[in-house]
Structures are given as structure tokens and as C-alpha cells.
Amino acid sequence: MLLGKRIAVVLPAYNAAATLQRTYSEIPLDIVDDIILIDDASHDETVALAETLGIYTHRHPRNRGYGGNQKTCYRIALERGADIVVMLHPDYQYAPRLVTAMASMIVSGEYDAVLASRILGKGALSGGMPLYKYAANRGLTFVQNWLMGQKLSEYHSGYRAWSRGVLEVVPLQACSDDFVFDNQMLAQAIHAGFRIGEISCPTRYFHDASSIDLGRSCVYGLGVLQTALAYRLHRLGVRNAPLFSPVSASQTVPPSGQAGARP
């Protein structure tokens, strides 16, 4: 807990047994009140290991995709009373110790959301990010900043912190269940006027760290550009985008009871 704010870390997991313990061991338990792992129908021992570590674990009976996993992450975190939710991949690609710094930026009252950027500083290439991924990241970010009127260093980090206020407002149910979910959710937060901060974060690319292949990367890139263009046209009043339409309570978090929880 920080200044009376309850901190939750959510771990969207798929076949993360090889890296989960290393990730968990570096989460700052002195300030984190709740750790929640959502398992997306893994084929390995992710659930058993999470339960051994004492992590609150919720398993999807079928794979719902990266975005679908996060929708459950945020719903459960809010149900369990989180004031700040930090989404951390359990593949040990990002530095778990930065949870304190990210949550503190929101607790300060200066930001509503914080992105851990691999591009600020020199963490990306030195951490093993493939050159083509780095180039694509920089190119897509340039176009997104231009279309959306922002100055972010990257839109593609999988390490993010959100205030409860953001999660109760943005219409997550309108977002994709695939990898473009992250970009769509961020675009929704920007459209709603929330303040987005960034912090430099080292990254690690290694055998057990999750990564999508070239084909899916291309599909993701097209989805990112489509999201940014939809944002621009919506803001200009040229074309209404459901992604940014006024929300109802049913659009913010997915309904409960879609998967079996494991305490």
C-alpha cells in the first residue's frame, strides 16, 4: 500500500511456468497488496506453480487471447479492491522492481496511468530487442504520435500501471481480445483525457520470454495504425468510432462468472 492506496499487480499468463518464479521473486511485496494471475488455458504448469507461490489464480477454461486475458485481469483487480493496477508480463522481460516507481507516479496525483518505456534510455537494443522490432516500434510510434497528437516514446510496452479511475471509465469491452488490445486501451485513455506518464525500463529478450512471430507482428502493426487513424477521424468528427463512444457500465470490465477462479 502507498499513501493509503491499495496496489495490485496483475499477471496475464500463458505458458509462463519457466519464468513465473523469477518474475514473482522481484515484485516489491512491501508495497504490493495483491498479486493476481490470470491463466489463459496454459498447457504447462503455470497454474500449479502460481498456487504454490500463493498467488491468487484465475484460469480461463479456454484461451481468450491476450486482450481477453487482460479484461479479466482488470475486472478481478477492481473486484478485489485495487486502487492502482500494474499489469506485468510474467515472462520476466520487464523489471518487476519498477512496480514501486510506477505506482508512486500515480499515487503522487500527477498521472492517471504510467507506461514503462523500453525506448527511453538505451534499454531496448542493449536488452536484446531485435533490430527489426526496434525499427518497427520507432516507426509506428512516430505515426501514432502524429495522428493522435501525443509525444510518447512508445505505445507498445507490455508493462503499464492504471489508476482505478481509468479502469472504471475506459470501455475495455470495445477493445480487441488480440494483441492490439494494449494500443486500443491506451488510445481510449488518451481520448478520455487521462494523464499518461512514462518511466525508463530495461528489457530482456531471451528464449523463454514471450514474443509474437513476424506474421502476427505485421497484423498487430496494421491494427495499431487502424486504431490511431480511427482516433484521429473520431476526434475530427469525420467518422464515429465505437472504440471511443460514450461508455456504459457493461463496457468497462467484462462480466463476472466467465471462468473458474482458484483462490
Side-chain angles (χ1 to χ4, degrees):
M1 189 169 285
L2 285 173
L3 297 180
K5 300 296 185 181
R6 183 173 171 83
I7 313 299
V9 172
V10 293
L11 306 169
Y14 180 67
N15 293 337
T19 54
L20 175 58
Q21 183 147 8
R22 278 183 289 176
T23 302
Y24 175 79
S25 69
E26 293 185 14
I27 294 173
L29 300 179
D30 57 325
I31 65 103
V32 172
D33 302 281
D34 200 8
I35 302 176
I36 301 164
L37 182 141
I38 307 302
D39 180 77
D40 209 21
S42 293
H43 302 296
D44 64 3
E45 299 303 312
T46 297
V47 169
L49 177 56
E51 292 175 340
T52 298
L53 293 171
I55 298 171
Y56 181 89
T57 304
H58 185 110
R59 186 176 189 276
H60 288 160
R62 59 179 179 80
N63 187 280
R64 291 182 53 194
Y66 175 68
N69 189 314
Q70 282 194 65
K71 291 174 185 178
T72 305
C73 283
Y74 298 131
R75 172 178 62 80
I76 291 181
L78 293 182
E79 287 176 353
R80 290 171 63 85
D83 296 304
I84 296 170
V85 181
V86 183
M87 191 272 286
L88 170 66
H89 290 181
D91 64 356
Y92 201 60
Q93 187 176 114
Y94 299 93
R97 292 189 180 96
L98 288 177
V99 165
T100 302
M102 296 170 70
S104 295
M105 290 174 69
I106 297 177
V107 169
S108 73
E110 298 295 333
Y111 298 101
D112 303 301
V114 175
L115 310 179
S117 171
R118 299 163 294 178
I119 303 302
L120 287 174
K122 299 181 179 180
L125 292 175
S126 63
M129 179 185 282
L131 185 59
Y132 81 90
K133 285 183 177 286
Y134 179 84
N137 186 314
R138 302 301 292 137
L140 287 171
T141 294
F142 176 83
V143 175
Q144 288 174 276
N145 276 331
W146 177 67
L147 287 172
M148 299 176 65
Q150 302 298 308
K151 293 184 178 180
L152 297 176
S153 67
E154 77 156 318
Y155 288 73
H156 315 289
S157 170
Y159 194 5
R160 299 158 178 238
W162 306 96
S163 70
R164 184 180 187 92
V166 174
L167 296 175
E168 289 180 333
V169 168
V170 294
L172 298 186
Q173 285 297 84
C175 295
S176 168
D177 285 344
D178 209 342
F179 288 103
V180 77
F181 171 91
D182 275 346
N183 263 261
Q184 292 178 337
M185 182 181 180
L186 180 55
Q188 288 175 335
I190 292 170
H191 179 264
F194 289 111
R195 300 161 299 171
I196 313 296
E198 292 186 281
I199 186 171
S200 178
C201 177
T203 187
R204 313 175 182 96
Y205 281 79
F206 57 99
H207 176 71
D208 289 321
S210 62
S211 183
I212 59 177
D213 60 29
L214 181 59
R216 297 202 72 183
S217 293
C218 291
V219 172
Y220 167 80
L222 291 173
V224 164
L225 295 174
Q226 183 180 35
T227 298
L229 181 59
Y231 174 94
R232 181 65 172 267
L233 295 176
H234 186 88
R235 296 289 291 188
L236 291 173
V238 174
R239 175 181 294 180
N240 181 65
L243 193 64
F244 308 112
S245 296
V247 306
S248 64
S250 64
Q251 289 179 296
T252 54
V253 292
S256 59
Q258 290 188 357
R262 295 170 179 248

